[in-house]
Amino acid sequence: MTPISTNNKTRIALFPGSFNPFTVGHADIVSRGLELFDKIVIAIGINAAKVAPADLEARVAAIKELYASEPRVMVASYSTLTVDFAREVGARFLLRGIRSVKDFEYERDMASVNGQLSDLESVVLFCRPEYGAISSSVVRELMSYGVDVSSFLPKKQ
Ligand code: ADP
């Protein structure tokens, strides 16, 4: 991705994940993150995503479409270390969300490792209670049984 042209006061956060699929829980973290940051780069980690290139492109395109009218949100995929990609796009912050104690322990460890590898600040938001049980894996499972999952997927902004 081309580095975002900014002055160095611009607060750019990278929101990395597999987003398979991007849920209302993820969208809520982005909209709350926009209160804190000037720009957010939603970044699909290719290693984490483990998908065919065409599926990855479709996933990027679908998230871009959601934010087509929000110029402060960008969408990309990356296959490098998250901290390296953050540096590439000029992000000084990593944005993540937590739903549970299990997420907390994982996010704490990731924030610690990423903090040792870089000077990135991890900013972790608590999820809203109504989204606490929503995960991409549950949505995928429901989809595999043909359940209508539209209430778990965000609408275009
Ligand atoms: P990863 O594969 O890196 O865990 P995910 O795509 O599952 O990535 O999630 C990206 C980020 O969004 C993670 O920080 C995760 O904890 C957070 N997240 C996932 N679902 C929700 C939700 N329902 N509410 C708030 N945060 C969430």
Side-chain angles (χ1 to χ4, degrees):
M1 193 178 148
T2 341
I4 299 162
S5 91
T6 58
N7 61 49
N8 60 10
K9 294 232 172 74
T10 309
R11 302 168 81 85
I12 303 170
L14 188 77
F15 182 31
S18 34
F19 306 120
N20 183 22
F22 190 83
T23 69
V24 284
H26 296 131
D28 185 53
I29 296 295
V30 172
S31 66
R32 290 161 60 208
L34 285 171
E35 300 287 323
L36 304 170
F37 304 109
D38 300 312
K39 291 178 193 285
I40 294 178
V41 180
I42 300 171
I44 302 178
I46 294 181
N47 296 335
K50 292 189 188 92
V51 283
D55 293 344
L56 181 72
E57 268 171 45
R59 203 179 305 164
V60 169
I63 305 174
K64 274 190 179 159
E65 173 69 14
L66 283 175
Y67 291 100
S69 61
E70 177 45 88
R72 297 198 295 138
V73 174
M74 272 133 285
V75 187
S77 59
Y78 69 102
S79 55
T80 54
L81 258 185
T82 300
V83 295
D84 290 337
F85 189 65
R87 207 172 286 130
E88 210 180 293
V89 301
R92 285 186 289 132
F93 304 92
L94 287 175
L95 176 63
R96 298 282 290 178
I98 57 175
R99 290 158 292 190
S100 61
V101 171
K102 197 167 139 234
D103 278 357
F104 167 80
E105 293 190 339
Y106 178 73
E107 297 301 339
R108 180 200 53 200
D109 292 351
M110 287 312 294
S112 163
V113 170
N114 287 328
Q116 287 174 51
L117 294 174
S118 69
D119 56 1
L120 287 169
E121 188 70 70
S122 289
V123 175
V124 184
L125 301 183
F126 290 109
C127 89
R128 291 222 303 235
E130 60 268 42
Y131 299 142
I134 300 177
S135 65
S136 298
S137 56
V138 165
V139 173
R140 279 200 309 277
E141 170 104 17
L142 294 173
M143 284 164 84
S144 75
Y145 289 103
V147 175
D148 174 9
V149 293
S150 52
S151 60
F152 299 123
L153 303 178
K155 311 273 172 301
K156 198 173 165 184
Q157 300 295 293

